[in-house]
Amino acid sequence: MTDTATHTTGEKARIGAPSISGFTEEGENLSPMNEAASPIGGAASKAHSHGGGAGIPDSSRAGRLTSYNVDDFPVLTGREEDFRFTPLKRMGGLHKNELVGVAPELVVTDANVSTLETVAMTDARVGSAGTPEDRISANAWKHAAEAKVVTIPANSTGEQVTLTYTGTSTEAAASHLVLIAEANSESVVVIDHVGSAVLAQNIEIDVREGAKLTVISLQAWDEHAIHAASHLAKVGKAAHLKHIAVTYGGDLVRLTPSAHFEGEGGEVELFGLYFADAGQHLEHRLFVDHATENCKSNVLYKGALQGKDAHTVWVGDVLIRKEAKGTNSYEANRNLVLTEGARADSVPNLEIETGLIDGAGHASTTGRFDDEHLFYLMSRGIDEKTARRLVVRGFLNEIVQQIRVPEIEERLAETIERELAATDS
Amino acid sequence: MSTLEIKDLHVSIETEQGDKEILKGVSLTIKTGETHAIMGPNGSGKSTLASTIAGHPRYKVTSGTITLDGEDVLAMSVDERARAGLFLAMQYPVEVPGVSMTNFLRTAKTAIDGTAPKLRTWTKDVKTAMEALKIDAEFASRNVNEGFSGGEKKRVEILQLELFKPKFAILDETDSGLDVDALKVVSEGVNRAQDENEMGTLLITHYTRILRYIKPDFVHVFVDGKIAEQGGAELADRLEDEGYDRFQNVPA
Ligand SMILES: Nc1ncnc2c1ncn2[C@@H]1O[C@H](COP(=O)(O)OP(=O)(O)O)[C@@H](O)[C@H]1O
Ligand SMILES: [Mg+2]
């Protein structure tokens, strides 16, 4: 009678040092599905490992290959650790084909002090903030015809600029953006993706010393879009990146934000909100690489799912390297399954290679909104529609309120209403 | 003055072996101001009666009626029943993910009253009621029942009872799992609601100890889906001494 909320978690943290003060772990119930982590393709990753992969198991993030050259990555089979949830058949060839289609057009609005340049892929700024971490990203790098560079000037404050990518083609395409927040700038950048597209995309995010940058990336595509995006962030000394991914449009979206600390005192907040409907595959895999001392990271992704074969994947890799003393890190993923037939995979991976940290923890829950919840709310006079809205809005609100751009918050509220209206019918 | 009338109620549930009849002809009339205690052994169908009144979809009424001031309760949806003035304090309140207590209480109050409560007085009412029930203020910002202990959940049920001011309250084993202090606090809450609002109470319990704090006008002994005996408060004392054996030994 009370068997209602179900809680599952993914892999348990792999902990380098056994007992660390301040280390907390929630959600002890292991999902049997995730118990055995399949190691990623060994030889290649070892050969190309960055940051001393010696003695680290293959499945460690420290040992994973990064390269600008697509041929360094083995051809994908779907069995790789980082592709095991991704239906390659539905990728529109982004991982293997020539990406020669017309890339979505970029329009910049509300720019006051920021600048937009179109440069060749040989420009020094391309590749300055990131290196591809998987084959799709490298393929996009290879095929991008040009790069856009948006720069927020040093010491400027209050810039809030919107970059809108509007897709009109269904041919596989590649695109590249470099976003530079110069030293001590403070800004908000909204990156909006609308229309139809089959797109592999790299977005480099260079947050320089003392800069404060908020990036809000909306994946608001039409229903057939296919989108694989790597957001590669470099966070400088005492810099602060707040990254918010909002994904609800498209047939398949795979977003891999990764943040690398380059100096002491950096902070990243990675937030995400996704809403998957029948048939949609929405995947978020993030990586926080603590490679320097006294940095802070906080990750929270929340997802709602409804409809047959709605599938979401969340994987959170947090690596606290030996040299990252004084790290403070927390990551959590929470899913709310609204109907039968939807599936949420959630895998937090916390690797800690030093005992000298401030704190680190992770949590993952997948709750089900079921008839008992509905009965409880309705037995208090609340009608069914209102009850559903109450639950979903309440659940997602924690992320929505992080956005702090009224137009986008409003748009999201409307989107959530529309998605919910679809369940009612 | 309101009347909740249950007449010859038969209720079944679907099981793997087919339909199973659980309530086998229950009749009971409660009026405003009255407190009726239903006492019975585990499995006798007490929660079934409570959930059926509230309209839980699992329970199928095969015959009989429930009316509230002559209105057909069985024809109403779950939320309509609550708005008509019925309140069920559940034996096992569920945790509702994503919804804060504050938001939930205000939404429910608005639904029941038909208009949103004035923010200032409402906030004060909630605070006062929480203090009286010794519920920590911090609970307001937590999700409905999420991570609450058994006793905390029961207090929160009574908090709702006090705030929503129903015509009839059905309390399903609100006393179970409470220590003596909590039992007192919760009983006082029920008594307050009874005194301050025009309310009738159906108090379902397995034990007699709550009847020390909430005085019943009528006691009904519930055995195997039926009322086996009725009386005044003195019947509870007899049960305390004799248990339910006397009733269960009689073949059904
Ligand atoms: N979902 C269910 N499936 C099967 N049997 C049930 C279910 N719910 C209740 N019952 C049965 O109905 C009878 C009455 O249960 P209940 O109303 O909970 O009794 P009480 O509240 O008096 O302990 C019991 O025999 C119980 O096993
Ligand atoms: Mg019961």
Side-chain angles (χ1 to χ4, degrees), chain A residues 1-2 372-373 375-383 391 394-395, chain B residues 56 58-59 79 82-83 87-88 90 92 95 98 108 111 145 157 160:
Chain A
M1 188 168 230
T2 53
E372 292 299 327
H373 297 127
F375 175 68
Y376 189 82
L377 295 174
M378 288 178 74
S379 79
R380 272 49 173 152
I382 302 169
D383 65 87
V391 167
F395 178 73
Chain B
H56 194 292
R58 185 185 302 134
Y59 301 96
D79 50 319
R83 293 198 295 270
F87 179 86
L88 168 62
M90 299 193 192
Y92 304 108
E95 305 188 358
N145 293 323
E157 294 291 286
Q160 294 171 51

PDB file of all heavy atoms in Angstrom, chain A residues 1-2 372-373 375-383 391 394-395, chain B residues 56 58-59 79 82-83 87-88 90 92 95 98 108 111 145 157 160:
ATOM      1  N   MET A   1       0.831  -1.211   0.000  1.00  0.00           N
ATOM      2  CA  MET A   1       0.000   0.000   0.000  1.00  0.00           C
ATOM      3  C   MET A   1       0.865   1.261   0.000  1.00  0.00           C
ATOM      4  O   MET A   1       0.511   2.278  -0.545  1.00  0.00           O
ATOM      5  CB  MET A   1      -0.895  -0.008   1.232  1.00  0.00           C
ATOM      6  CG  MET A   1      -1.932   1.103   1.212  1.00  0.00           C
ATOM      7  SD  MET A   1      -3.151   0.815   2.483  1.00  0.00           S
ATOM      8  CE  MET A   1      -4.655   0.985   1.566  1.00  0.00           C
ATOM      9  N   THR A   2       2.025   1.159   0.642  1.00  0.00           N
ATOM     10  CA  THR A   2       2.854   2.356   0.706  1.00  0.00           C
ATOM     11  C   THR A   2       4.081   2.247  -0.197  1.00  0.00           C
ATOM     12  O   THR A   2       4.972   3.054  -0.140  1.00  0.00           O
ATOM     13  CB  THR A   2       3.348   2.608   2.138  1.00  0.00           C
ATOM     14  OG1 THR A   2       3.969   1.413   2.589  1.00  0.00           O
ATOM     15  CG2 THR A   2       2.211   2.988   3.039  1.00  0.00           C
ATOM     16  N   GLU A 372      -0.785   6.714  -5.820  1.00  0.00           N
ATOM     17  CA  GLU A 372      -0.881   6.990  -4.383  1.00  0.00           C
ATOM     18  C   GLU A 372      -0.592   8.461  -4.079  1.00  0.00           C
ATOM     19  O   GLU A 372      -1.203   9.062  -3.207  1.00  0.00           O
ATOM     20  CB  GLU A 372       0.064   6.087  -3.585  1.00  0.00           C
ATOM     21  CG  GLU A 372      -0.324   4.612  -3.597  1.00  0.00           C
ATOM     22  CD  GLU A 372      -1.709   4.331  -2.986  1.00  0.00           C
ATOM     23  OE1 GLU A 372      -2.123   5.027  -2.044  1.00  0.00           O
ATOM     24  OE2 GLU A 372      -2.368   3.402  -3.493  1.00  0.00           O
ATOM     25  N   HIS A 373       0.366   9.038  -4.820  1.00  0.00           N
ATOM     26  CA  HIS A 373       0.631  10.469  -4.661  1.00  0.00           C
ATOM     27  C   HIS A 373      -0.589  11.275  -5.078  1.00  0.00           C
ATOM     28  O   HIS A 373      -0.994  12.218  -4.422  1.00  0.00           O
ATOM     29  CB  HIS A 373       1.824  10.908  -5.514  1.00  0.00           C
ATOM     30  CG  HIS A 373       3.097  10.241  -5.122  1.00  0.00           C
ATOM     31  ND1 HIS A 373       3.888   9.585  -6.024  1.00  0.00           N
ATOM     32  CD2 HIS A 373       3.710  10.140  -3.941  1.00  0.00           C
ATOM     33  CE1 HIS A 373       4.939   9.088  -5.395  1.00  0.00           C
ATOM     34  NE2 HIS A 373       4.858   9.413  -4.127  1.00  0.00           N
ATOM     35  N   PHE A 375      -3.666  10.265  -5.217  1.00  0.00           N
ATOM     36  CA  PHE A 375      -4.756  10.085  -4.262  1.00  0.00           C
ATOM     37  C   PHE A 375      -4.559  10.993  -3.048  1.00  0.00           C
ATOM     38  O   PHE A 375      -5.492  11.642  -2.572  1.00  0.00           O
ATOM     39  CB  PHE A 375      -4.848   8.621  -3.814  1.00  0.00           C
ATOM     40  CG  PHE A 375      -5.879   8.398  -2.733  1.00  0.00           C
ATOM     41  CD1 PHE A 375      -7.233   8.533  -3.013  1.00  0.00           C
ATOM     42  CD2 PHE A 375      -5.495   8.083  -1.440  1.00  0.00           C
ATOM     43  CE1 PHE A 375      -8.189   8.346  -2.020  1.00  0.00           C
ATOM     44  CE2 PHE A 375      -6.436   7.902  -0.437  1.00  0.00           C
ATOM     45  CZ  PHE A 375      -7.783   8.032  -0.727  1.00  0.00           C
ATOM     46  N   TYR A 376      -3.332  11.049  -2.580  1.00  0.00           N
ATOM     47  CA  TYR A 376      -3.067  11.868  -1.392  1.00  0.00           C
ATOM     48  C   TYR A 376      -3.414  13.338  -1.662  1.00  0.00           C
ATOM     49  O   TYR A 376      -4.124  13.976  -0.895  1.00  0.00           O
ATOM     50  CB  TYR A 376      -1.599  11.736  -0.976  1.00  0.00           C
ATOM     51  CG  TYR A 376      -1.313  12.372   0.357  1.00  0.00           C
ATOM     52  CD1 TYR A 376      -1.585  11.701   1.542  1.00  0.00           C
ATOM     53  CD2 TYR A 376      -0.784  13.665   0.450  1.00  0.00           C
ATOM     54  CE1 TYR A 376      -1.337  12.287   2.778  1.00  0.00           C
ATOM     55  CE2 TYR A 376      -0.536  14.255   1.674  1.00  0.00           C
ATOM     56  CZ  TYR A 376      -0.807  13.565   2.838  1.00  0.00           C
ATOM     57  OH  TYR A 376      -0.567  14.143   4.062  1.00  0.00           O
ATOM     58  N   LEU A 377      -2.921  13.858  -2.766  1.00  0.00           N
ATOM     59  CA  LEU A 377      -3.170  15.269  -3.076  1.00  0.00           C
ATOM     60  C   LEU A 377      -4.656  15.519  -3.339  1.00  0.00           C
ATOM     61  O   LEU A 377      -5.226  16.507  -2.877  1.00  0.00           O
ATOM     62  CB  LEU A 377      -2.335  15.707  -4.286  1.00  0.00           C
ATOM     63  CG  LEU A 377      -0.811  15.684  -4.070  1.00  0.00           C
ATOM     64  CD1 LEU A 377      -0.087  16.004  -5.373  1.00  0.00           C
ATOM     65  CD2 LEU A 377      -0.401  16.674  -2.991  1.00  0.00           C
ATOM     66  N   MET A 378      -5.288  14.609  -4.052  1.00  0.00           N
ATOM     67  CA  MET A 378      -6.708  14.797  -4.362  1.00  0.00           C
ATOM     68  C   MET A 378      -7.573  14.667  -3.114  1.00  0.00           C
ATOM     69  O   MET A 378      -8.598  15.333  -2.984  1.00  0.00           O
ATOM     70  CB  MET A 378      -7.162  13.799  -5.441  1.00  0.00           C
ATOM     71  CG  MET A 378      -6.607  14.140  -6.824  1.00  0.00           C
ATOM     72  SD  MET A 378      -7.087  12.947  -8.090  1.00  0.00           S
ATOM     73  CE  MET A 378      -8.810  13.387  -8.311  1.00  0.00           C
ATOM     74  N   SER A 379      -7.144  13.831  -2.181  1.00  0.00           N
ATOM     75  CA  SER A 379      -7.922  13.684  -0.948  1.00  0.00           C
ATOM     76  C   SER A 379      -7.851  14.953  -0.109  1.00  0.00           C
ATOM     77  O   SER A 379      -8.530  15.074   0.908  1.00  0.00           O
ATOM     78  CB  SER A 379      -7.427  12.490  -0.141  1.00  0.00           C
ATOM     79  OG  SER A 379      -6.250  12.825   0.559  1.00  0.00           O
ATOM     80  N   ARG A 380      -7.023  15.895  -0.538  1.00  0.00           N
ATOM     81  CA  ARG A 380      -6.971  17.214   0.104  1.00  0.00           C
ATOM     82  C   ARG A 380      -7.650  18.268  -0.755  1.00  0.00           C
ATOM     83  O   ARG A 380      -7.351  19.461  -0.654  1.00  0.00           O
ATOM     84  CB  ARG A 380      -5.520  17.597   0.387  1.00  0.00           C
ATOM     85  CG  ARG A 380      -4.984  17.119   1.725  1.00  0.00           C
ATOM     86  CD  ARG A 380      -5.254  15.669   1.994  1.00  0.00           C
ATOM     87  NE  ARG A 380      -4.616  15.175   3.192  1.00  0.00           N
ATOM     88  CZ  ARG A 380      -5.087  14.169   3.934  1.00  0.00           C
ATOM     89  NH1 ARG A 380      -6.198  13.547   3.588  1.00  0.00           N
ATOM     90  NH2 ARG A 380      -4.443  13.763   4.996  1.00  0.00           N
ATOM     91  N   GLY A 381      -8.504  17.818  -1.655  1.00  0.00           N
ATOM     92  CA  GLY A 381      -9.314  18.759  -2.419  1.00  0.00           C
ATOM     93  C   GLY A 381      -8.698  19.246  -3.713  1.00  0.00           C
ATOM     94  O   GLY A 381      -9.319  20.006  -4.459  1.00  0.00           O
ATOM     95  N   ILE A 382      -7.466  18.816  -4.013  1.00  0.00           N
ATOM     96  CA  ILE A 382      -6.766  19.316  -5.196  1.00  0.00           C
ATOM     97  C   ILE A 382      -7.150  18.462  -6.407  1.00  0.00           C
ATOM     98  O   ILE A 382      -7.062  17.239  -6.348  1.00  0.00           O
ATOM     99  CB  ILE A 382      -5.239  19.273  -4.956  1.00  0.00           C
ATOM    100  CG1 ILE A 382      -4.881  20.104  -3.710  1.00  0.00           C
ATOM    101  CG2 ILE A 382      -4.474  19.754  -6.167  1.00  0.00           C
ATOM    102  CD1 ILE A 382      -3.457  19.916  -3.222  1.00  0.00           C
ATOM    103  N   ASP A 383      -7.592  19.107  -7.496  1.00  0.00           N
ATOM    104  CA  ASP A 383      -8.003  18.313  -8.654  1.00  0.00           C
ATOM    105  C   ASP A 383      -6.783  17.723  -9.360  1.00  0.00           C
ATOM    106  O   ASP A 383      -5.652  18.147  -9.144  1.00  0.00           O
ATOM    107  CB  ASP A 383      -8.837  19.163  -9.632  1.00  0.00           C
ATOM    108  CG  ASP A 383      -8.014  20.273 -10.238  1.00  0.00           C
ATOM    109  OD1 ASP A 383      -7.353  20.031 -11.259  1.00  0.00           O
ATOM    110  OD2 ASP A 383      -8.002  21.385  -9.667  1.00  0.00           O
ATOM    111  N   VAL A 391       3.231  18.977  -8.630  1.00  0.00           N
ATOM    112  CA  VAL A 391       4.379  18.093  -8.427  1.00  0.00           C
ATOM    113  C   VAL A 391       5.517  18.432  -9.388  1.00  0.00           C
ATOM    114  O   VAL A 391       6.665  18.582  -8.987  1.00  0.00           O
ATOM    115  CB  VAL A 391       3.942  16.624  -8.593  1.00  0.00           C
ATOM    116  CG1 VAL A 391       5.139  15.710  -8.713  1.00  0.00           C
ATOM    117  CG2 VAL A 391       3.062  16.212  -7.415  1.00  0.00           C
ATOM    118  N   GLY A 394       6.916  22.064  -8.853  1.00  0.00           N
ATOM    119  CA  GLY A 394       7.663  22.099  -7.596  1.00  0.00           C
ATOM    120  C   GLY A 394       9.006  21.425  -7.757  1.00  0.00           C
ATOM    121  O   GLY A 394      10.033  21.916  -7.298  1.00  0.00           O
ATOM    122  N   PHE A 395       8.998  20.324  -8.460  1.00  0.00           N
ATOM    123  CA  PHE A 395      10.214  19.540  -8.635  1.00  0.00           C
ATOM    124  C   PHE A 395      11.257  20.290  -9.469  1.00  0.00           C
ATOM    125  O   PHE A 395      12.434  20.346  -9.122  1.00  0.00           O
ATOM    126  CB  PHE A 395       9.845  18.217  -9.308  1.00  0.00           C
ATOM    127  CG  PHE A 395      11.005  17.323  -9.602  1.00  0.00           C
ATOM    128  CD1 PHE A 395      11.651  16.655  -8.580  1.00  0.00           C
ATOM    129  CD2 PHE A 395      11.457  17.164 -10.901  1.00  0.00           C
ATOM    130  CE1 PHE A 395      12.728  15.831  -8.847  1.00  0.00           C
ATOM    131  CE2 PHE A 395      12.533  16.345 -11.178  1.00  0.00           C
ATOM    132  CZ  PHE A 395      13.166  15.670 -10.150  1.00  0.00           C
TER     133      PHE A 395
ATOM    134  N   HIS B  56     -10.755   6.081  -2.412  1.00  0.00           N
ATOM    135  CA  HIS B  56      -9.579   5.441  -3.019  1.00  0.00           C
ATOM    136  C   HIS B  56     -10.026   4.478  -4.118  1.00  0.00           C
ATOM    137  O   HIS B  56     -10.898   3.640  -3.910  1.00  0.00           O
ATOM    138  CB  HIS B  56      -8.781   4.683  -1.961  1.00  0.00           C
ATOM    139  CG  HIS B  56      -7.403   4.307  -2.456  1.00  0.00           C
ATOM    140  ND1 HIS B  56      -7.218   3.386  -3.462  1.00  0.00           N
ATOM    141  CD2 HIS B  56      -6.174   4.766  -2.118  1.00  0.00           C
ATOM    142  CE1 HIS B  56      -5.919   3.279  -3.707  1.00  0.00           C
ATOM    143  NE2 HIS B  56      -5.265   4.111  -2.905  1.00  0.00           N
ATOM    144  N   ARG B  58      -8.938   1.855  -5.342  1.00  0.00           N
ATOM    145  CA  ARG B  58      -8.760   0.414  -5.211  1.00  0.00           C
ATOM    146  C   ARG B  58     -10.025  -0.279  -4.683  1.00  0.00           C
ATOM    147  O   ARG B  58     -10.233  -1.463  -4.923  1.00  0.00           O
ATOM    148  CB  ARG B  58      -7.589   0.110  -4.275  1.00  0.00           C
ATOM    149  CG  ARG B  58      -7.280  -1.383  -4.203  1.00  0.00           C
ATOM    150  CD  ARG B  58      -6.211  -1.704  -3.186  1.00  0.00           C
ATOM    151  NE  ARG B  58      -4.976  -1.011  -3.465  1.00  0.00           N
ATOM    152  CZ  ARG B  58      -4.257  -0.357  -2.543  1.00  0.00           C
ATOM    153  NH1 ARG B  58      -4.674  -0.302  -1.296  1.00  0.00           N
ATOM    154  NH2 ARG B  58      -3.142   0.253  -2.864  1.00  0.00           N
ATOM    155  N   TYR B  59     -10.854   0.456  -3.960  1.00  0.00           N
ATOM    156  CA  TYR B  59     -11.981  -0.179  -3.285  1.00  0.00           C
ATOM    157  C   TYR B  59     -13.271  -0.021  -4.088  1.00  0.00           C
ATOM    158  O   TYR B  59     -13.638   1.092  -4.470  1.00  0.00           O
ATOM    159  CB  TYR B  59     -12.130   0.414  -1.881  1.00  0.00           C
ATOM    160  CG  TYR B  59     -10.869   0.203  -1.078  1.00  0.00           C
ATOM    161  CD1 TYR B  59      -9.890   1.202  -0.990  1.00  0.00           C
ATOM    162  CD2 TYR B  59     -10.624  -1.025  -0.456  1.00  0.00           C
ATOM    163  CE1 TYR B  59      -8.714   0.987  -0.288  1.00  0.00           C
ATOM    164  CE2 TYR B  59      -9.448  -1.244   0.242  1.00  0.00           C
ATOM    165  CZ  TYR B  59      -8.494  -0.236   0.321  1.00  0.00           C
ATOM    166  OH  TYR B  59      -7.324  -0.459   0.997  1.00  0.00           O
ATOM    167  N   ASP B  79     -11.344  14.399  -4.994  1.00  0.00           N
ATOM    168  CA  ASP B  79     -11.157  15.808  -4.625  1.00  0.00           C
ATOM    169  C   ASP B  79     -12.488  16.474  -4.286  1.00  0.00           C
ATOM    170  O   ASP B  79     -12.556  17.337  -3.407  1.00  0.00           O
ATOM    171  CB  ASP B  79     -10.405  16.577  -5.716  1.00  0.00           C
ATOM    172  CG  ASP B  79     -10.995  16.375  -7.097  1.00  0.00           C
ATOM    173  OD1 ASP B  79     -11.372  15.238  -7.426  1.00  0.00           O
ATOM    174  OD2 ASP B  79     -11.076  17.355  -7.864  1.00  0.00           O
ATOM    175  N   ALA B  82     -13.335  15.795  -0.689  1.00  0.00           N
ATOM    176  CA  ALA B  82     -12.585  16.648   0.243  1.00  0.00           C
ATOM    177  C   ALA B  82     -13.196  18.044   0.280  1.00  0.00           C
ATOM    178  O   ALA B  82     -13.338  18.648   1.342  1.00  0.00           O
ATOM    179  CB  ALA B  82     -11.118  16.715  -0.173  1.00  0.00           C
ATOM    180  N   ARG B  83     -13.587  18.530  -0.896  1.00  0.00           N
ATOM    181  CA  ARG B  83     -14.163  19.876  -0.948  1.00  0.00           C
ATOM    182  C   ARG B  83     -15.552  19.912  -0.319  1.00  0.00           C
ATOM    183  O   ARG B  83     -16.006  20.941   0.165  1.00  0.00           O
ATOM    184  CB  ARG B  83     -14.194  20.387  -2.393  1.00  0.00           C
ATOM    185  CG  ARG B  83     -12.793  20.620  -2.959  1.00  0.00           C
ATOM    186  CD  ARG B  83     -12.804  21.513  -4.182  1.00  0.00           C
ATOM    187  NE  ARG B  83     -13.495  20.888  -5.306  1.00  0.00           N
ATOM    188  CZ  ARG B  83     -12.926  20.124  -6.234  1.00  0.00           C
ATOM    189  NH1 ARG B  83     -11.627  19.890  -6.175  1.00  0.00           N
ATOM    190  NH2 ARG B  83     -13.619  19.611  -7.217  1.00  0.00           N
ATOM    191  N   PHE B  87     -12.506  14.591   5.455  1.00  0.00           N
ATOM    192  CA  PHE B  87     -11.049  14.574   5.603  1.00  0.00           C
ATOM    193  C   PHE B  87     -10.610  13.238   6.174  1.00  0.00           C
ATOM    194  O   PHE B  87     -11.145  12.768   7.176  1.00  0.00           O
ATOM    195  CB  PHE B  87     -10.592  15.693   6.542  1.00  0.00           C
ATOM    196  CG  PHE B  87      -9.103  15.707   6.762  1.00  0.00           C
ATOM    197  CD1 PHE B  87      -8.262  16.371   5.886  1.00  0.00           C
ATOM    198  CD2 PHE B  87      -8.535  15.025   7.838  1.00  0.00           C
ATOM    199  CE1 PHE B  87      -6.888  16.370   6.067  1.00  0.00           C
ATOM    200  CE2 PHE B  87      -7.154  15.022   8.027  1.00  0.00           C
ATOM    201  CZ  PHE B  87      -6.334  15.695   7.140  1.00  0.00           C
ATOM    202  N   LEU B  88      -9.626  12.639   5.520  1.00  0.00           N
ATOM    203  CA  LEU B  88      -9.076  11.372   6.007  1.00  0.00           C
ATOM    204  C   LEU B  88      -7.635  11.570   6.459  1.00  0.00           C
ATOM    205  O   LEU B  88      -6.767  11.937   5.658  1.00  0.00           O
ATOM    206  CB  LEU B  88      -9.126  10.313   4.888  1.00  0.00           C
ATOM    207  CG  LEU B  88      -8.345   9.020   5.128  1.00  0.00           C
ATOM    208  CD1 LEU B  88      -8.865   8.268   6.345  1.00  0.00           C
ATOM    209  CD2 LEU B  88      -8.404   8.119   3.890  1.00  0.00           C
ATOM    210  N   MET B  90      -4.557   9.726   7.154  1.00  0.00           N
ATOM    211  CA  MET B  90      -4.240   8.371   6.689  1.00  0.00           C
ATOM    212  C   MET B  90      -3.373   7.602   7.675  1.00  0.00           C
ATOM    213  O   MET B  90      -2.575   8.159   8.406  1.00  0.00           O
ATOM    214  CB  MET B  90      -3.541   8.464   5.331  1.00  0.00           C
ATOM    215  CG  MET B  90      -4.449   9.115   4.300  1.00  0.00           C
ATOM    216  SD  MET B  90      -3.845   8.931   2.645  1.00  0.00           S
ATOM    217  CE  MET B  90      -4.931  10.100   1.818  1.00  0.00           C
ATOM    218  N   TYR B  92      -1.063   5.505   6.649  1.00  0.00           N
ATOM    219  CA  TYR B  92       0.284   5.600   6.084  1.00  0.00           C
ATOM    220  C   TYR B  92       0.352   6.748   5.084  1.00  0.00           C
ATOM    221  O   TYR B  92       0.245   6.524   3.872  1.00  0.00           O
ATOM    222  CB  TYR B  92       0.660   4.295   5.366  1.00  0.00           C
ATOM    223  CG  TYR B  92       0.568   3.071   6.234  1.00  0.00           C
ATOM    224  CD1 TYR B  92      -0.446   2.137   6.050  1.00  0.00           C
ATOM    225  CD2 TYR B  92       1.505   2.853   7.251  1.00  0.00           C
ATOM    226  CE1 TYR B  92      -0.531   1.006   6.850  1.00  0.00           C
ATOM    227  CE2 TYR B  92       1.424   1.728   8.062  1.00  0.00           C
ATOM    228  CZ  TYR B  92       0.401   0.807   7.851  1.00  0.00           C
ATOM    229  OH  TYR B  92       0.318  -0.306   8.640  1.00  0.00           O
ATOM    230  N   GLU B  95       4.769  10.005   0.862  1.00  0.00           N
ATOM    231  CA  GLU B  95       5.694  11.102   0.595  1.00  0.00           C
ATOM    232  C   GLU B  95       5.441  11.579  -0.830  1.00  0.00           C
ATOM    233  O   GLU B  95       5.361  10.772  -1.749  1.00  0.00           O
ATOM    234  CB  GLU B  95       7.136  10.608   0.726  1.00  0.00           C
ATOM    235  CG  GLU B  95       7.396   9.971   2.078  1.00  0.00           C
ATOM    236  CD  GLU B  95       8.866   9.641   2.314  1.00  0.00           C
ATOM    237  OE1 GLU B  95       9.682   9.866   1.404  1.00  0.00           O
ATOM    238  OE2 GLU B  95       9.176   9.179   3.427  1.00  0.00           O
ATOM    239  N   GLY B  98       8.862  16.553  -4.639  1.00  0.00           N
ATOM    240  CA  GLY B  98       8.829  17.806  -5.396  1.00  0.00           C
ATOM    241  C   GLY B  98       7.895  18.882  -4.888  1.00  0.00           C
ATOM    242  O   GLY B  98       7.922  19.996  -5.385  1.00  0.00           O
ATOM    243  N   ALA B 108      -4.026  23.240  -1.246  1.00  0.00           N
ATOM    244  CA  ALA B 108      -5.166  22.467  -0.756  1.00  0.00           C
ATOM    245  C   ALA B 108      -6.205  23.386  -0.113  1.00  0.00           C
ATOM    246  O   ALA B 108      -7.406  23.261  -0.355  1.00  0.00           O
ATOM    247  CB  ALA B 108      -4.694  21.414   0.239  1.00  0.00           C
ATOM    248  N   ALA B 111      -8.127  25.107  -2.733  1.00  0.00           N
ATOM    249  CA  ALA B 111      -9.072  24.201  -3.396  1.00  0.00           C
ATOM    250  C   ALA B 111     -10.294  23.965  -2.514  1.00  0.00           C
ATOM    251  O   ALA B 111     -11.432  23.985  -2.989  1.00  0.00           O
ATOM    252  CB  ALA B 111      -8.379  22.880  -3.716  1.00  0.00           C
ATOM    253  N   ASN B 145       5.766  15.154   3.549  1.00  0.00           N
ATOM    254  CA  ASN B 145       6.050  13.879   4.227  1.00  0.00           C
ATOM    255  C   ASN B 145       7.426  13.281   3.930  1.00  0.00           C
ATOM    256  O   ASN B 145       7.749  12.217   4.450  1.00  0.00           O
ATOM    257  CB  ASN B 145       4.973  12.823   3.908  1.00  0.00           C
ATOM    258  CG  ASN B 145       3.631  13.186   4.507  1.00  0.00           C
ATOM    259  OD1 ASN B 145       3.574  13.730   5.610  1.00  0.00           O
ATOM    260  ND2 ASN B 145       2.561  12.919   3.795  1.00  0.00           N
ATOM    261  N   GLU B 157      -0.664  15.202   9.489  1.00  0.00           N
ATOM    262  CA  GLU B 157      -2.051  14.908   9.116  1.00  0.00           C
ATOM    263  C   GLU B 157      -3.001  15.748   9.972  1.00  0.00           C
ATOM    264  O   GLU B 157      -3.974  16.319   9.470  1.00  0.00           O
ATOM    265  CB  GLU B 157      -2.371  13.417   9.301  1.00  0.00           C
ATOM    266  CG  GLU B 157      -1.619  12.480   8.364  1.00  0.00           C
ATOM    267  CD  GLU B 157      -2.050  12.590   6.921  1.00  0.00           C
ATOM    268  OE1 GLU B 157      -3.140  12.105   6.557  1.00  0.00           O
ATOM    269  OE2 GLU B 157      -1.292  13.184   6.130  1.00  0.00           O
ATOM    270  N   GLN B 160      -3.122  19.371   9.034  1.00  0.00           N
ATOM    271  CA  GLN B 160      -4.043  19.607   7.917  1.00  0.00           C
ATOM    272  C   GLN B 160      -5.491  19.628   8.394  1.00  0.00           C
ATOM    273  O   GLN B 160      -6.288  20.460   7.971  1.00  0.00           O
ATOM    274  CB  GLN B 160      -3.858  18.528   6.850  1.00  0.00           C
ATOM    275  CG  GLN B 160      -2.503  18.578   6.185  1.00  0.00           C
ATOM    276  CD  GLN B 160      -2.270  17.378   5.297  1.00  0.00           C
ATOM    277  OE1 GLN B 160      -3.094  17.042   4.456  1.00  0.00           O
ATOM    278  NE2 GLN B 160      -1.145  16.704   5.480  1.00  0.00           N
TER     279      GLN B 160
END
